[in-house]
Amino acid sequence: MHITPLNHEFVGEVSAIDISVPLTPAQVAEIEAGMDRFAVLVFPDQPLTDDEQCTYSRNFGELEATLIGQMSKPSERRLGPVEIGDISNLDASGKLRDRDDNRRMYALGNRLWHSDASFRTTGAGYSLLSARVVPGHGGDTGFADMRAAYDALDETTKTEIEDLITEHSIAFSRGVLGFDNYGEGNADKVRPVRHRLVRTHPVTGRKSLYLSAHIGAIVGWPVPEARAFIRDLTEHATQPQFTYAHRWRVNDLVMWDNRTTMHRATRFRDLSEVRDLHRTSIKGTGMTAEQVHSMVAG
Ligand code: OGA
Ligand code: MN
């Protein structure tokens, strides 16, 4: 297996490996080391079935179900297992969704810079997206390196934010776009959870900004001041020098570390062109709100 840096120092392209078959522990360790050094790995030309994608993903931890998968009835699902996130513009029967389709409008939240599942107490570890059908124009996925963004802050800001705790909720990111229709019985799924704003990677000890469109508050701060500050930080962290845009090819598998990056979808003609990606995500371990920095820093 070879990893070649791709455009930026936080994205690597992996070749000379077949991830559709069981991997050896040494291969898994090599991929994890690659994820620690970079934060996004692109595996071109890896046709995968959903089962193969789940098997490959389980090398890195326990799979979690997407929130929208959990909130949908089985009859509304196009793909089988709840561990496979349906990142497409298709409905359960495989037709393009209408412009005002509720599920389509919910999914437009992916266009805001975010970290997957940051609205859950443990967030997500890696996410993995496998491209099955890609549009002719647009629909790239942007990634931003939150380690480099943290490093580039001035010392005063680093000190000021070191111990800040933020509140994340899916209701906040969707609210920004004017979406609030979650359906009955889902109120408990949109309650805010707390995370540190600065987190430390458990293996590398590197600090990064834990930003996400799901943040709606900073504990102890007036809400408008918190939101304005989170906007400033997000603007800083998504400057071109910290970002990479992935132009999808069919059978690309891209995996990223949600602990050290943000990502977002970009616009395409989703009322006339199909875009079908399948996502798996690894459950986060440990609550960032309880992380003790001195353990790694000291
Ligand atoms: C996701 C996501 C972005 C995209 O699958 O978690 O945010 O480009 N996708 O579809
Ligand atoms: Mn996402």
Side-chain angles (χ1 to χ4, degrees):
M1 166 185 146
H2 297 290
I3 307 183
T4 324
L6 198 72
N7 298 346
H8 277 267
E9 70 174 56
F10 79 109
V11 184
E13 185 173 277
V14 186
S15 53
I17 186 171
D18 177 359
I19 59 172
S20 70
V21 297
L23 302 185
T24 64
Q27 284 175 311
V28 174
E30 209 176 334
I31 294 167
E32 283 176 336
M35 287 295 285
D36 289 342
R37 161 146 148 51
F38 298 92
V40 180
L41 289 179
V42 177
F43 296 71
D45 206 13
Q46 298 280 352
L48 294 174
T49 63
D50 288 349
D51 278 349
E52 287 165 350
Q53 183 173 347
C54 286
T55 303
Y56 172 69
S57 303
R58 284 198 181 95
N59 285 311
F60 309 103
E62 205 183 322
L63 302 189
E64 67 170 20
T66 59
L67 185 60
I68 187 72
Q70 290 174 332
M71 295 195 303
S72 316
K73 299 187 200 84
S75 62
E76 293 165 348
R77 296 182 47 78
R78 184 174 63 95
L79 307 175
V82 281
E83 290 82 11
I84 293 283
D86 185 356
I87 309 298
S88 79
N89 52 349
L90 303 173
D91 67 16
S93 66
K95 286 200 330 285
L96 285 168
R97 289 185 185 271
D98 293 335
R99 192 164 201 174
D100 61 353
D101 176 280
N102 204 56
R103 174 76 161 73
R104 168 179 186 263
M105 293 193 291
Y106 172 88
L108 288 172
N110 280 345
R111 295 253 295 273
L112 307 177
W113 287 106
H114 65 281
S115 172
D116 286 337
S118 74
F119 47 79
R120 291 186 165 141
T121 48
T122 54
Y126 299 160
S127 283
L128 305 92
L129 263 184
S130 162
R132 311 296 172 88
V133 181
V134 302
H137 299 276
D140 296 0
T141 303
F143 293 93
D145 183 357
M146 295 300 104
R147 305 166 306 184
Y150 174 83
D151 291 345
L153 292 171
D154 61 65
E155 292 308 314
T156 315
T157 309
K158 283 182 184 165
T159 307
E160 187 185 5
I161 67 174
E162 176 73 16
D163 292 315
L164 291 183
I165 302 290
T166 54
E167 292 192 342
H168 299 232
S169 162
I170 193 88
F172 181 70
S173 53
R174 269 47 185 179
V176 166
L177 296 184
F179 179 90
D180 61 2
N181 183 9
Y182 302 99
E184 267 171 51
N186 290 319
D188 61 316
K189 301 192 179 68
V190 307
R191 244 175 235 135
V193 303
R194 292 183 169 186
H195 290 292
R196 296 192 67 98
L197 179 55
V198 178
R199 62 188 299 182
T200 304
H201 194 280
V203 177
T204 64
R206 250 186 112 176
K207 286 184 182 176
S208 56
L209 281 172
Y210 194 24
L211 288 172
S212 188
H214 307 308
I215 299 178
I218 296 173
V219 175
W221 285 39
V223 167
E225 188 182 354
R227 292 189 186 180
F229 185 48
I230 293 298
R231 257 179 197 253
D232 290 346
L233 289 175
T234 302
E235 218 169 274
H236 160 79
T238 55
Q239 294 176 86
Q241 66 267 34
F242 307 129
T243 66
Y244 160 81
H246 187 67
R247 173 93 205 111
W248 290 97
R249 293 149 301 186
V250 172
N251 294 332
D252 280 347
L253 182 287
V254 176
M255 60 193 283
W256 64 89
D257 192 337
N258 286 293
R259 300 169 298 185
T260 51
T261 58
M262 282 203 288
H263 62 281
R264 68 158 175 198
T266 57
R267 195 162 186 262
F268 70 105
R269 295 190 207 101
D270 72 338
L271 299 171
S272 61
E273 283 198 281
V274 174
R275 182 177 189 261
D276 182 12
L277 310 181
H278 293 198
R279 196 187 93 193
T280 36
S281 283
I282 310 300
K283 279 188 183 154
T285 50
M287 317 235 267
T288 65
E290 289 171 358
Q291 242 178 37
V292 181
H293 277 155
S294 54
M295 274 168 37
V296 236

